[in-house]
Amino acid sequence: RMPKHLLKLTRMPQSHKFQALFILISLFLSLAYLTLYWRITEDSYGCGQLNSLPVEFSCAHYVPFSLLSASRPPPSRGNVFFVETSERTNPGYVFSCSVESAARTHPGSRVVVLMKGLAKEKPSLPKHWVFSLLSCFPNVEIQPLDLPELFSGTPLAKWYLWPLRRWEPHFLPILSDACRIVLMWKFGGIYLDTDFIVLKNLQNLTNALGIQGEDELNGAFLSFEPKHEFMELCMKDFVKNYNSWIWGSQGPQLLTRVFKKWCSIRTIQSMSCKGVRALAPQAVYPIPWQDWRKLFEALSALELHKLLKNTYAVHIWNKMSHRTRLEIPSQALLAQLYSQFCPATYAKMKQD
Protein backbone atom coordinates (compact mmCIF):
# COMPACT_ATOMS: atom_id res chain seq x y z
CA ARG A 1 0.00 0.00 0.00
CA MET A 2 1.06 3.55 -0.70
CA PRO A 3 2.22 5.43 2.46
CA LYS A 4 -0.39 7.86 3.82
CA HIS A 5 1.75 10.99 3.31
CA LEU A 6 2.25 10.09 -0.39
CA LEU A 7 -1.47 9.21 -0.79
CA LYS A 8 -2.38 12.67 0.52
CA LEU A 9 0.04 14.20 -1.96
CA THR A 10 -1.75 12.54 -4.92
CA ARG A 11 -5.10 14.01 -3.80
CA MET A 12 -3.82 17.60 -3.68
CA PRO A 13 -4.77 20.23 -6.27
CA GLN A 14 -2.30 20.48 -9.13
CA SER A 15 -0.84 23.82 -7.92
CA HIS A 16 -0.34 22.43 -4.42
CA LYS A 17 1.37 19.35 -5.84
CA PHE A 18 4.00 21.50 -7.56
CA GLN A 19 4.54 23.49 -4.35
CA ALA A 20 4.94 20.32 -2.29
CA LEU A 21 7.27 18.79 -4.88
CA PHE A 22 9.34 21.97 -4.93
CA ILE A 23 9.63 21.92 -1.12
CA LEU A 24 10.66 18.23 -1.12
CA ILE A 25 13.32 18.82 -3.79
CA SER A 26 14.61 21.88 -1.90
CA LEU A 27 14.84 19.90 1.32
CA PHE A 28 16.66 17.07 -0.45
CA LEU A 29 19.15 19.44 -2.07
CA SER A 30 19.72 21.24 1.25
CA LEU A 31 20.38 17.93 3.00
CA ALA A 32 22.77 16.86 0.25
CA TYR A 33 24.61 20.19 0.47
CA LEU A 34 24.95 19.99 4.24
CA THR A 35 26.20 16.40 4.04
CA LEU A 36 28.82 17.38 1.44
CA TYR A 37 29.79 20.48 3.46
CA TRP A 38 30.39 18.55 6.66
CA ARG A 39 32.40 15.88 4.86
CA ILE A 40 34.62 18.56 3.31
CA THR A 41 34.91 20.33 6.65
CA GLU A 42 35.84 17.09 8.42
CA ASP A 43 38.46 16.30 5.80
CA SER A 44 40.01 19.77 5.98
CA TYR A 45 39.86 20.17 9.78
CA GLY A 46 43.40 20.22 11.10
CA CYS A 47 44.75 21.52 7.77
CA GLY A 48 44.51 18.38 5.69
CA GLN A 49 45.16 15.84 8.40
CA LEU A 50 43.12 13.16 6.60
CA ASN A 51 45.00 13.35 3.30
CA SER A 52 47.19 10.43 2.33
CA LEU A 53 50.92 10.65 1.78
CA PRO A 54 51.96 11.50 -1.77
CA VAL A 55 53.06 8.51 -3.86
CA GLU A 56 56.52 10.02 -4.31
CA PHE A 57 57.09 10.36 -0.54
CA SER A 58 60.47 8.89 0.29
CA CYS A 59 61.58 8.08 3.81
CA ALA A 60 65.19 8.27 2.65
CA HIS A 61 64.66 11.86 1.54
CA TYR A 62 63.52 13.09 4.96
CA VAL A 63 64.89 10.70 7.57
CA PRO A 64 68.60 10.63 8.60
CA PHE A 65 70.50 7.64 7.24
CA SER A 66 71.67 6.75 10.75
CA LEU A 67 68.03 6.12 11.69
CA LEU A 68 67.01 4.44 8.45
CA SER A 69 69.94 2.01 8.55
CA ALA A 70 69.12 0.83 12.05
CA SER A 71 66.91 -2.25 12.15
CA ARG A 72 66.13 -1.39 15.75
CA PRO A 73 67.15 1.42 18.09
CA PRO A 74 70.28 0.82 20.16
CA PRO A 75 69.95 0.02 23.88
CA SER A 76 67.85 2.83 25.29
CA ARG A 77 68.69 5.15 28.13
CA GLY A 78 64.95 5.46 28.64
CA ASN A 79 61.76 5.57 26.64
CA VAL A 80 60.11 8.74 25.39
CA PHE A 81 56.35 8.46 25.92
CA PHE A 82 53.44 10.19 24.20
CA VAL A 83 49.83 9.44 25.18
CA GLU A 84 46.51 9.95 23.37
CA THR A 85 43.69 9.29 25.85
CA SER A 86 40.80 10.01 23.47
CA GLU A 87 39.53 7.55 20.88
CA ARG A 88 41.01 9.65 18.10
CA THR A 89 43.08 7.83 15.47
CA ASN A 90 43.41 10.60 12.87
CA PRO A 91 46.13 12.85 14.35
CA GLY A 92 47.27 16.04 12.64
CA TYR A 93 50.39 18.07 12.02
CA VAL A 94 51.12 19.02 15.64
CA PHE A 95 51.01 15.39 16.79
CA SER A 96 53.18 14.31 13.85
CA CYS A 97 55.76 17.02 14.49
CA SER A 98 55.96 16.22 18.20
CA VAL A 99 56.72 12.55 17.62
CA GLU A 100 59.01 13.18 14.63
CA SER A 101 61.07 15.80 16.49
CA ALA A 102 61.42 13.46 19.49
CA ALA A 103 62.49 10.58 17.23
CA ARG A 104 65.13 12.72 15.53
CA THR A 105 66.60 14.08 18.75
CA HIS A 106 66.53 10.68 20.53
CA PRO A 107 67.90 8.18 17.98
CA GLY A 108 69.06 5.91 20.82
CA SER A 109 65.67 5.76 22.53
CA ARG A 110 62.35 4.07 21.91
CA VAL A 111 59.71 6.70 21.20
CA VAL A 112 56.50 5.02 22.37
CA VAL A 113 53.13 6.46 21.32
CA LEU A 114 50.22 5.01 23.32
CA MET A 115 46.77 5.53 21.79
CA LYS A 116 43.50 4.57 23.45
CA GLY A 117 41.71 4.41 20.08
CA LEU A 118 43.83 1.51 18.85
CA ALA A 119 42.32 -1.89 19.49
CA LYS A 120 44.59 -4.55 20.98
CA GLU A 121 43.00 -7.13 18.69
CA LYS A 122 44.05 -5.27 15.52
CA PRO A 123 47.80 -5.39 14.98
CA SER A 124 47.75 -3.04 11.97
CA LEU A 125 47.53 0.74 12.23
CA PRO A 126 44.78 2.78 10.56
CA LYS A 127 45.53 4.00 7.04
CA HIS A 128 46.55 7.57 7.76
CA TRP A 129 49.42 9.72 6.57
CA VAL A 130 50.77 10.39 10.09
CA PHE A 131 51.26 6.68 10.76
CA SER A 132 52.87 6.23 7.34
CA LEU A 133 55.25 9.10 8.01
CA LEU A 134 56.19 7.99 11.52
CA SER A 135 56.79 4.44 10.33
CA CYS A 136 59.88 5.83 8.59
CA PHE A 137 61.51 6.10 12.02
CA PRO A 138 62.56 2.66 13.35
CA ASN A 139 62.70 4.00 16.92
CA VAL A 140 59.00 4.99 16.89
CA GLU A 141 56.50 2.45 18.26
CA ILE A 142 52.74 3.10 18.16
CA GLN A 143 50.84 0.87 20.56
CA PRO A 144 47.34 0.55 22.10
CA LEU A 145 46.85 2.23 25.47
CA ASP A 146 45.56 -0.44 27.87
CA LEU A 147 44.34 1.67 30.78
CA PRO A 148 43.32 -1.10 33.23
CA GLU A 149 46.71 -2.73 32.71
CA LEU A 150 48.57 0.59 33.06
CA PHE A 151 46.86 1.52 36.34
CA SER A 152 47.00 -1.99 37.85
CA GLY A 153 49.16 -2.21 40.94
CA THR A 154 48.99 1.55 41.59
CA PRO A 155 46.83 3.79 43.82
CA LEU A 156 44.97 4.85 40.67
CA ALA A 157 43.59 1.40 39.82
CA LYS A 158 40.51 1.77 42.02
CA TRP A 159 40.08 5.42 40.95
CA TYR A 160 39.91 4.47 37.27
CA LEU A 161 37.44 1.59 37.72
CA TRP A 162 34.69 3.74 39.25
CA PRO A 163 31.84 3.33 36.69
CA LEU A 164 30.79 7.01 36.56
CA ARG A 165 34.33 8.34 36.16
CA ARG A 166 34.07 9.06 32.43
CA TRP A 167 31.08 11.36 32.99
CA GLU A 168 33.09 13.78 35.09
CA PRO A 169 33.99 17.23 33.74
CA HIS A 170 37.53 17.41 32.32
CA PHE A 171 37.73 13.60 32.28
CA LEU A 172 40.08 13.31 29.29
CA PRO A 173 42.70 15.81 30.50
CA ILE A 174 42.53 14.29 33.99
CA LEU A 175 42.98 10.82 32.47
CA SER A 176 46.04 12.15 30.65
CA ASP A 177 47.39 13.55 33.94
CA ALA A 178 46.90 10.14 35.52
CA CYS A 179 48.64 8.26 32.69
CA ARG A 180 51.78 10.36 32.74
CA ILE A 181 52.53 10.03 36.44
CA VAL A 182 51.87 6.28 36.36
CA LEU A 183 54.09 5.85 33.28
CA MET A 184 56.89 7.72 35.00
CA TRP A 185 56.53 5.70 38.18
CA LYS A 186 56.24 2.29 36.49
CA PHE A 187 58.72 2.64 33.64
CA GLY A 188 60.59 5.91 34.01
CA GLY A 189 61.96 7.82 31.03
CA ILE A 190 60.50 10.95 29.46
CA TYR A 191 56.88 11.97 29.03
CA LEU A 192 55.85 14.68 26.55
CA ASP A 193 52.50 16.14 25.58
CA THR A 194 51.67 15.83 21.88
CA ASP A 195 52.07 19.58 21.35
CA PHE A 196 55.81 19.82 21.96
CA ILE A 197 58.50 20.44 19.36
CA VAL A 198 61.71 18.87 20.64
CA LEU A 199 64.92 20.72 19.80
CA LYS A 200 67.56 18.81 21.76
CA ASN A 201 68.07 15.46 23.42
CA LEU A 202 66.34 15.45 26.82
CA GLN A 203 68.07 12.45 28.38
CA ASN A 204 70.35 14.51 30.63
CA LEU A 205 67.33 16.14 32.29
CA THR A 206 66.78 13.35 34.80
CA ASN A 207 64.24 13.61 37.64
CA ALA A 208 63.06 16.94 36.32
CA LEU A 209 59.95 18.92 35.41
CA GLY A 210 59.47 22.45 34.16
CA ILE A 211 58.21 25.72 35.60
CA GLN A 212 55.52 27.06 33.28
CA GLY A 213 55.06 30.42 34.97
CA GLU A 214 54.94 32.25 38.24
CA ASP A 215 54.76 29.74 41.10
CA GLU A 216 53.45 26.85 38.98
CA LEU A 217 54.92 23.68 37.53
CA ASN A 218 53.56 21.85 34.50
CA GLY A 219 53.53 18.14 33.68
CA ALA A 220 53.58 18.48 29.89
CA PHE A 221 57.24 17.43 30.23
CA LEU A 222 58.35 14.92 32.85
CA SER A 223 61.60 13.01 33.16
CA PHE A 224 62.05 10.51 36.01
CA GLU A 225 63.76 7.31 36.98
CA PRO A 226 61.35 4.38 37.50
CA LYS A 227 59.83 3.93 40.95
CA HIS A 228 60.95 7.41 42.01
CA GLU A 229 59.53 8.50 45.36
CA PHE A 230 58.40 11.86 43.97
CA MET A 231 56.16 10.15 41.41
CA GLU A 232 54.84 7.83 44.10
CA LEU A 233 53.84 10.87 46.17
CA CYS A 234 52.14 12.33 43.08
CA MET A 235 50.04 9.17 42.67
CA LYS A 236 49.00 9.25 46.32
CA ASP A 237 48.14 12.95 46.14
CA PHE A 238 46.13 12.31 42.96
CA VAL A 239 43.75 10.06 44.89
CA LYS A 240 43.83 11.82 48.26
CA ASN A 241 43.14 15.35 46.95
CA TYR A 242 41.11 14.36 43.89
CA ASN A 243 38.96 17.14 42.45
CA SER A 244 37.41 16.72 39.01
CA TRP A 245 35.68 20.10 39.00
CA ILE A 246 38.73 22.37 38.90
CA TRP A 247 40.77 22.49 35.69
CA GLY A 248 44.40 21.60 36.40
CA SER A 249 43.79 20.33 39.92
CA GLN A 250 45.17 16.90 38.98
CA GLY A 251 47.89 18.31 36.72
CA PRO A 252 49.91 21.51 37.28
CA GLN A 253 48.35 22.15 40.69
CA LEU A 254 49.09 18.60 41.86
CA LEU A 255 52.74 18.76 40.78
CA THR A 256 53.13 22.19 42.33
CA ARG A 257 51.73 21.24 45.73
CA VAL A 258 53.73 17.95 45.85
CA PHE A 259 56.96 19.76 44.93
CA LYS A 260 56.36 22.41 47.60
CA LYS A 261 55.92 19.68 50.22
CA TRP A 262 58.91 17.77 48.82
CA CYS A 263 61.15 20.81 49.21
CA SER A 264 59.36 22.45 52.19
CA ILE A 265 59.01 25.72 50.28
CA ARG A 266 56.18 28.20 49.70
CA THR A 267 57.17 29.58 46.29
CA ILE A 268 58.30 27.65 43.21
CA GLN A 269 61.64 28.68 41.75
CA SER A 270 64.28 27.16 39.50
CA MET A 271 66.10 24.79 41.84
CA SER A 272 67.18 21.26 42.64
CA CYS A 273 65.75 19.77 45.79
CA LYS A 274 66.38 16.26 47.16
CA GLY A 275 67.35 15.08 43.70
CA VAL A 276 64.38 16.59 41.81
CA ARG A 277 64.88 19.59 39.53
CA ALA A 278 62.42 22.36 38.74
CA LEU A 279 63.68 23.71 35.41
CA ALA A 280 63.50 27.39 34.52
CA PRO A 281 60.69 28.26 32.05
CA GLN A 282 63.25 28.77 29.27
CA ALA A 283 64.06 25.04 29.25
CA VAL A 284 60.72 23.68 27.97
CA TYR A 285 58.22 26.55 28.20
CA PRO A 286 60.07 29.47 26.53
CA ILE A 287 56.75 30.89 25.28
CA PRO A 288 54.36 31.44 28.23
CA TRP A 289 50.83 30.21 27.56
CA GLN A 290 49.56 33.79 27.86
CA ASP A 291 51.87 34.76 24.93
CA TRP A 292 51.04 31.85 22.61
CA ARG A 293 50.31 34.26 19.74
CA LYS A 294 54.07 34.94 19.53
CA LEU A 295 54.35 31.55 17.87
CA PHE A 296 52.70 33.05 14.79
CA GLU A 297 54.80 36.23 14.67
CA ALA A 298 57.74 36.63 12.28
CA LEU A 299 61.17 36.19 13.82
CA SER A 300 64.65 36.68 12.37
CA ALA A 301 67.21 33.88 12.51
CA LEU A 302 69.22 35.84 15.09
CA GLU A 303 66.16 36.39 17.27
CA LEU A 304 65.24 32.71 16.96
CA HIS A 305 68.74 31.62 18.02
CA LYS A 306 68.67 33.97 21.00
CA LEU A 307 65.21 32.82 22.06
CA LEU A 308 66.05 29.12 21.90
CA LYS A 309 69.67 29.24 23.11
CA ASN A 310 68.89 27.52 26.41
CA THR A 311 65.76 25.67 25.27
CA TYR A 312 65.34 21.90 24.95
CA ALA A 313 61.75 21.83 23.67
CA VAL A 314 58.96 24.28 22.87
CA HIS A 315 55.43 23.75 24.14
CA ILE A 316 53.07 25.30 21.59
CA TRP A 317 49.91 25.36 23.73
CA ASN A 318 47.73 23.66 21.15
CA LYS A 319 44.61 24.11 23.28
CA MET A 320 44.79 27.84 22.57
CA SER A 321 46.62 27.93 19.24
CA HIS A 322 45.07 25.12 17.20
CA ARG A 323 42.55 27.27 15.32
CA THR A 324 45.04 29.97 14.32
CA ARG A 325 46.10 29.85 10.68
CA LEU A 326 49.82 29.32 10.11
CA GLU A 327 51.29 30.52 6.82
CA ILE A 328 53.55 27.92 5.20
CA PRO A 329 56.25 28.83 4.34
CA SER A 330 56.84 31.96 6.42
CA GLN A 331 59.16 33.51 8.99
CA ALA A 332 56.68 32.82 11.78
CA LEU A 333 58.38 31.24 14.79
CA LEU A 334 56.21 28.12 14.61
CA ALA A 335 56.82 27.69 10.86
CA GLN A 336 60.58 27.90 11.42
CA LEU A 337 60.39 25.31 14.19
CA TYR A 338 58.44 22.94 11.94
CA SER A 339 60.92 23.35 9.06
CA GLN A 340 63.99 22.71 11.23
CA PHE A 341 62.87 20.04 13.69
CA CYS A 342 60.19 18.02 11.87
CA PRO A 343 61.01 18.49 8.17
CA ALA A 344 58.98 15.47 6.99
CA THR A 345 55.83 16.85 8.64
CA TYR A 346 56.69 20.29 7.28
CA ALA A 347 56.93 18.88 3.74
CA LYS A 348 53.47 17.37 4.14
CA MET A 349 52.14 20.73 5.38
CA LYS A 350 53.58 22.51 2.33
CA GLN A 351 52.06 19.91 0.04
CA ASP A 352 48.63 20.38 1.60
Side-chain angles (χ1 to χ4, degrees):
R1 295 177 58 185
M2 187 180 292
K4 290 182 179 180
H5 62 280
L6 291 180
L7 187 61
K8 290 180 181 179
L9 184 61
T10 60
R11 294 173 179 171
M12 288 182 182
Q14 191 72 17
S15 59
H16 289 180
K17 289 181 183 179
F18 284 117
Q19 290 177 4
L21 187 60
F22 176 77
I23 292 172
L24 287 173
I25 293 173
S26 300
L27 287 172
F28 174 78
L29 291 175
S30 298
L31 181 61
Y33 171 79
L34 286 172
T35 302
L36 179 62
Y37 171 79
W38 285 114
R39 283 183 178 177
I40 293 172
T41 302
E42 185 182 34
D43 287 348
S44 62
Y45 184 74
C47 306
Q49 64 186 22
L50 299 184
N51 294 341
S52 60
L53 279 171
V55 176
E56 68 273 12
F57 181 88
S58 169
C59 290
H61 183 70
Y62 295 110
V63 181
F65 179 76
S66 59
L67 280 176
L68 278 175
S69 59
S71 59
R72 65 182 65 180
S76 176
R77 294 179 56 197
N79 296 331
V80 180
F81 290 102
F82 292 92
V83 175
E84 176 58 67
T85 53
S86 75
E87 299 290 339
R88 185 181 180 190
T89 57
N90 59 337
Y93 302 126
V94 176
F95 179 104
S96 178
C97 184
S98 295
V99 180
E100 179 187 346
S101 63
R104 289 176 180 276
T105 51
H106 298 78
S109 299
R110 294 167 64 232
V111 179
V112 182
V113 183
L114 300 171
M115 303 187 72
K116 186 173 181 290
L118 298 180
K120 290 189 295 182
E121 299 78 18
K122 296 181 180 179
S124 60
L125 293 171
K127 292 183 179 180
H128 189 277
W129 71 265
V130 169
F131 301 126
S132 299
L133 186 153
L134 295 178
S135 68
C136 292
F137 296 87
N139 59 332
V140 172
E141 299 178 16
I142 301 174
Q143 303 176 5
L145 174 60
D146 187 337
L147 290 167
E149 175 62 26
L150 177 63
F151 293 136
S152 66
T154 75
L156 279 73
K158 188 176 180 180
W159 165 84
Y160 176 69
L161 292 176
W162 188 56
L164 300 180
R165 184 69 63 205
R166 64 200 72 256
W167 299 106
E168 293 178 343
H170 316 309
F171 172 68
L172 285 181
I174 288 175
L175 184 59
S176 178
D177 292 329
C179 288
R180 68 191 69 183
I181 61 176
V182 172
L183 281 168
M184 290 296 94
W185 184 78
K186 275 194 168 184
F187 307 107
I190 295 165
Y191 167 83
L192 291 168
D193 274 2
T194 54
D195 56 350
F196 259 109
I197 299 180
V198 187
L199 317 185
K200 302 172 186 175
N201 191 289
L202 299 161
Q203 293 289 4
N204 64 334
L205 301 179
T206 308
N207 300 330
L209 63 172
I211 300 173
Q212 75 165 8
E214 187 176 350
D215 200 37
E216 190 168 47
L217 296 167
N218 192 313
F221 157 79
L222 295 171
S223 177
F224 279 88
E225 296 170 334
K227 304 299 188 292
H228 196 283
E229 185 184 353
F230 184 84
M231 284 291 108
E232 184 178 358
L233 291 174
C234 287
M235 291 192 298
K236 291 178 179 178
D237 185 281
F238 188 99
V239 176
K240 181 181 178 181
N241 298 308
Y242 186 71
N243 189 332
S244 65
W245 296 95
I246 300 176
W247 175 269
S249 178
Q250 304 306 116
Q253 293 178 31
L254 179 151
L255 294 167
T256 301
R257 61 180 176 258
V258 172
F259 188 79
K260 285 181 176 181
K261 290 179 183 177
W262 178 264
C263 297
S264 301
I265 56 174
R266 293 186 177 182
T267 305
I268 297 291
Q269 55 185 318
S270 178
M271 62 186 297
S272 179
C273 179
K274 293 163 61 175
V276 178
R277 286 189 282 175
L279 305 172
Q282 188 66 26
V284 287
Y285 306 112
I287 307 295
W289 67 266
Q290 300 94 328
D291 300 330
W292 63 267
R293 289 180 179 82
K294 288 185 178 180
L295 291 163
F296 299 87
E297 297 175 2
L299 212 64
S300 70
L302 183 62
E303 290 172 319
L304 178 64
H305 176 75
K306 183 179 179 181
L307 175 67
L308 304 178
K309 184 178 180 181
N310 300 311
T311 299
Y312 287 82
V314 178
H315 193 242
I316 66 173
W317 310 109
N318 194 51
K319 182 176 176 60
M320 278 83 74
S321 65
H322 72 281
R323 293 195 181 276
T324 304
R325 181 176 176 80
L326 176 64
E327 292 294 334
I328 295 291
S330 74
Q331 292 301 306
L333 170 58
L334 186 53
Q336 293 191 62
L337 293 177
Y338 272 113
S339 67
Q340 291 185 41
F341 300 102
C342 53
T345 302
Y346 185 69
K348 172 63 176 165
M349 295 172 75
K350 287 196 295 184
Q351 175 215 337
D352 291 346

